[in-house]
């Protein structure tokens, strides 16, 4: 399985934001929606072997399981509406247990560290000083960890450094998180740019 | 320079659509907005060596020049609002001449064939039966041509077959147009996955 953890530092954890202002009042939820899109969508298909974990304000995590997902369109507004529904279901999530808001979407009151603790797989940090991705053998169950438009905080950086088994870079340019996800998928789809 | 031509078959050519319904009433303009995003945005930067040509309903072309662009945010709603402004300026575009609607964005009454005729560079068709992109030397001035959620029409396919010097595939999975643009950029950024 491929997993993507995306940290949204400014995204509200209550559902009282407008879908008309994702890039403003919703704390750049647009960035996270594009990450969900890149992680899950193929042409006329969904990647069923993918899970996305959106960590919101280090308080709430929305997990999206491609194998169970229903009712999602690839546009930012639709994805944001499903995240908002997850936040509406937040109070049904007790402790670190999850509540399912719509098929394949689960909400829990977990911050970044608890979310990372709960994930199995080889954690890969994307970093501009990492090894070129072509020099790294594609892991069987990679977990890519990305941040929104902000850098990781000091605490997040420390948690990630503890968890990460690889630190890679995807190219000479620094990319948006959603573009990085697309490149990571292509690297895995092609077995490290060898199998087309 | 890198150029991307994206054909939107159902996008309205009049500006009387709502930004709240890009995936519906605006004929999947959301797809084209994500293509613009993938083509132009880097982390905290714009790709100045890129032009995007959005061909709408084979009637109108909106050209976006990364080197002159101002006022664009990466979210679908903002990009769609700038496309709508371009459509508001359409009647200032006489014959095949362009009118500038906002800095770096130009509108003209050109369909697909006229747009392709006006573009210099090596036309690359992305096709699932094409050669693996790793087997193709990156062209100096590539022009990638992509379609929205529909296939190219018969006429478009013929025009493209005439113009294309390369036919490549980006991997074993069929990707959305915007994801294809991201992979094409990564292939060019890394000189064919060799330079990180």
């Amino acid at each position: 399985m491929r997993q993507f953890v995306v940290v949204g530092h400014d995204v509200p954890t209550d559902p009282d934001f407008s879908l008309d202002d994702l890039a403003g009042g919703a704390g750049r939820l647009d960035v996270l929606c594009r990450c969900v899109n890149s992680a899950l969508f193929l042409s006329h298909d969904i990647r069923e072997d993918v899970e996305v974990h959106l960590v919101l304000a280090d308080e709430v995590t929305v997990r999206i399981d491609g194998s169970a997902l229903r009712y999602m369109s690839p546009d930012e507004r639709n994805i944001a509406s499903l995240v908002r529904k997850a936040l509406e279901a937040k109070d049904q999530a007790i402790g670190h247990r999850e509540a399912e808001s719509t098929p394949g979407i689960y909400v829990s009151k977990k911050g970044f560290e608890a979310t990372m603790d709960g994930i199995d797989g080889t954690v890969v940090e994307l970093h501009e000083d990492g090894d070129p991705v072509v020099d790294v053998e594609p892991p069987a169950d990679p977990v890519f960890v990305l941040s929104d438009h902000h850098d990781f905080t000091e605490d997040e950086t420390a948690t990630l450094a503890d968890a990460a088994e690889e630190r890679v870079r995807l190219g000479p340019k620094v990319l948006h998180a959603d573009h990085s996800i697309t490149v990571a998928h292509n690297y895995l789809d092609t077995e490290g740019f060898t199998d087309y």
Side-chain angles (χ1 to χ4, degrees), chain A residues 167-187:
Chain A
R167 200 163 83 147
V168 306
R169 69 171 182 272
L170 299 174
K173 310 270 192 192
V174 183
L175 305 180
H176 281 190
D178 58 314
H179 301 162
S180 296
I181 290 172
T182 299
V183 173
H185 266 319
N186 187 245
Y187 154 75

Side-chain angles (χ1 to χ4, degrees), chain A residues 15 83-93 99-102 107:
Chain A
V83 171
R84 198 168 62 172
K85 272 189 205 298
L87 292 174
E88 286 166 4
K90 183 181 64 169
D91 290 338
Q92 298 165 36
E100 185 169 15
S101 52
T102 55
V107 63

